[in-house]
Amino acid sequence: DSGVTQTPKHLITATGQRVTLRCSPRSGDLSVYWYQQSLDQGLQFLIQYYNGEERAKGNILERFSAQQFPDLHSELNLSSLELGDSALYFCASSSRPGAEAFFGQGTRLTVV
Amino acid sequence: TQLLEQSPQFLSIQEGENLTVYCNSSSVFSSLQWYRQEPGEGPVLLVTVVTGGEVKKLKRLTFQFGDARKDSSLHITAAQTGDTGLYLCAGARGSGGSNYKLTFGKGTLLTVNP
């Protein structure tokens, strides 16, 4: 158990819909990362937060947004969903940016 | 283009064999981490290397960081079926402060057959 909790574990939704993925980092970790993993693209960095503020952005689509709340949990919002958004979405946390990252078990999103 | 290139992409070997997988980049990293991921699970950290030329051993696994901190290798001795999984390398770099980015390679999918 990494100490990082992601909910839900599975999500099936229709194209055009909006979903919210939730992440609770390890106790004490201030940094949260979101990654998307698909078979052809591997683990793609989306966005990083540190203590509530956005710190780094990767290949995150404009239809996607995220935030980190004062209690340090984070949410990833995916809107106007397309079939190609189907993937595993991982959240990871670390004590500080660039340090060892601990991953949650992921949310498997299926867009039909 | 991928910042971190891992090779080979797939590797299937027999139990007891030795193997080496590689992680290469043209960029310099502050540190490099190796993770293993099993199906349906998140990646789990194996080791972090920080100093150029550093070698770390974890039982039958030997990790090396290149002198220039641009590449790394993972060597497994006498592979076991339990070593099966996706091996990912991740490089950490940033401009300091709190905006370090951890970038992953696509991984090497290792299958160890009994």
Side-chain angles (χ1 to χ4, degrees), chain A residues 9 33 35 37 40-45 48 50 55-58 88 90 97-105 108, chain B residues 2 9 31 33 35 37 40-45 47-48 86 88 92-93 97-106:
Chain A
K9 204 162 183 185
Y33 308 80
Y35 288 86
Q37 188 175 41
D40 56 339
Q41 291 295 318
L43 204 59
Q44 294 287 309
F45 170 70
Q48 179 217 340
Y50 178 77
R55 288 300 184 181
K57 235 174 180 177
L88 264 170
F90 284 104
E100 294 88 335
F102 293 85
F103 282 77
Q105 292 206 307
R108 182 172 291 282
Chain B
Q2 196 78 9
Q9 199 175 346
S31 66
Q33 301 164 17
Y35 293 78
Q37 184 179 18
E41 303 288 326
V44 175
L45 179 71
V47 79
T48 300
L86 178 67
L88 296 157
R93 61 176 197 159
S98 57
N99 62 344
Y100 274 88
K101 191 189 294 190
L102 196 59
T103 304
F104 283 79
K106 285 194 178 183

Side-chain angles (χ1 to χ4, degrees), chain A residues 18-86:
Chain A
R18 173 190 166 97
V19 297
T20 297
L21 312 184
R22 184 187 165 99
C23 170
S24 293
R26 285 190 325 158
S27 177
D29 282 356
L30 298 178
S31 220
V32 168
Y33 308 80
W34 284 99
Y35 288 86
Q36 179 193 60
Q37 188 175 41
S38 58
L39 280 173
D40 56 339
Q41 291 295 318
L43 204 59
Q44 294 287 309
F45 170 70
L46 296 178
I47 199 163
Q48 179 217 340
Y49 283 84
Y50 178 77
N51 203 19
E53 292 187 14
E54 181 187 307
R55 288 300 184 181
K57 235 174 180 177
N59 303 322
I60 187 165
L61 300 171
E62 281 192 18
R63 299 183 285 108
F64 297 179
S65 65
Q67 52 183 327
Q68 186 180 27
F69 295 87
D71 67 353
L72 301 178
H73 91 272
S74 179
E75 292 181 357
L76 179 67
N77 300 296
L78 315 176
S79 61
S80 302
L81 284 167
E82 301 175 0
L83 296 177
D85 297 327
S86 296

Side-chain angles (χ1 to χ4, degrees), chain B residues 50-90:
Chain B
V50 178
T51 308
E54 182 176 2
V55 176
K56 276 194 175 176
K57 291 196 175 188
L58 189 67
K59 296 183 182 175
R60 293 174 295 99
L61 278 59
T62 302
F63 304 84
Q64 183 158 10
F65 202 11
D67 291 342
R69 290 188 290 133
K70 292 183 181 180
D71 52 76
S72 182
S73 63
L74 158 60
H75 181 80
I76 301 180
T77 304
Q80 299 176 356
T81 54
D83 296 328
T84 293
L86 178 67
Y87 288 82
L88 296 157
C89 67

